Amino acid sequence: MQIIRQRLRESADLKRTLADSDLAPMQALVDATRNALATGHKLLVFGNGGSAADAQHIAAELVGRYMKERLGMPAIALTTDTSILTSVANDYGFEHIFERQIEALAQPGDVALGISTSGNSPNVLLGLRRARDIGGITTAAFLGRTGGEIKGAVDHAIVVPAQETARIQECHLTLGHILCELVDDAREVS
């Protein structure tokens, strides 16, 4: 019982710390995503492991629905196509799996959102750098710890100031839900 209470308190305390931090990068991501979706562009989301699951979760909430009935929104998790992932990893290396998809799918006006608890995932970093190289794509990241190398490679870095992966992921999921809620509020009901 003690561990259960402790973990819940740790998660709640970290979210309070995050709530009291500079949330301008999160608001900028919300604004950029709203604008992209309102102008016929898309959100591309990607990460590894639990962050891959978070990317898929965010895309599913936007394509399906989050809290209200509305038209589906164009969001793609770059973590779901095993044929692309395995062929690119085999032919070019695992670090290029997101970079190659960004190259193929991203267009100016889109938003690329990378997720990395360490802030140093090489494939997430390369994907975000490729988005910047294309130009006209807003780059953002949900990060942990100090933000790592990715922090300086994106337009909007949302950094969860913690060391433990599980606590960081809990905040990333909450941030993803907030993004979906605020984008939902801006969309027409179907």
Side-chain angles (χ1 to χ4, degrees):
M1 198 61 111
Q2 178 184 0
I3 298 237
I4 295 168
R5 290 185 201 286
Q6 181 180 343
R7 295 298 178 254
L8 288 169
R9 287 185 179 119
E10 287 170 2
S11 185
D13 289 345
L14 181 56
K15 288 175 185 170
R16 281 188 197 94
T17 297
L18 189 58
D20 292 335
S21 70
D22 178 14
L23 296 173
M26 182 64 186
Q27 184 63 58
L29 170 60
V30 168
D31 294 343
T33 304
R34 281 179 167 173
N35 184 58
L37 299 176
T39 58
H41 300 285
K42 62 194 164 298
L43 174 66
L44 301 159
V45 195
F46 48 100
N48 298 293
S51 299
D54 289 344
Q56 291 168 214
H57 188 142
I58 292 167
E61 300 286 21
L62 294 176
V63 171
R65 75 163 177 256
Y66 182 61
M67 289 190 176
K68 68 178 189 178
E69 289 298 327
R70 47 131 176 96
L71 298 173
M73 294 184 243
I76 303 169
L78 302 183
T79 56
T80 59
D81 190 322
T82 55
S83 295
I84 291 173
L85 294 172
T86 57
S87 69
V88 172
N90 185 65
D91 294 348
Y92 300 99
F94 188 73
E95 66 275 14
H96 298 287
I97 61 172
F98 302 131
E99 177 186 37
R100 191 72 170 178
Q101 290 183 80
I102 290 287
E103 180 180 289
L105 300 171
Q107 299 173 335
D110 291 344
V111 174
L113 173 60
I115 306 174
S116 172
T117 58
S118 69
N120 291 311
S121 302
N123 57 5
V124 174
L125 178 61
L126 288 177
L128 291 164
R129 283 184 175 158
R130 184 68 182 122
R132 277 201 141 166
D133 290 345
I134 291 169
I137 298 170
T138 299
T139 58
F142 290 162
L143 305 167
R145 299 184 177 92
T146 63
E149 192 174 352
I150 294 171
K151 181 179 178 181
V154 295
D155 300 315
H156 311 296
I158 300 95
V159 181
V160 176
Q163 296 298 312
E164 191 174 343
T165 298
R167 301 296 84 79
I168 295 165
Q169 288 173 331
E170 290 160 5
C171 287
H172 285 176
L173 179 58
T174 301
L175 291 166
H177 280 160
I178 292 167
L179 175 65
C180 293
E181 179 180 355
L182 294 175
V183 170
D184 245 13
D185 285 345
R187 290 297 282 203
E188 297 289 325
V189 176
S190 61

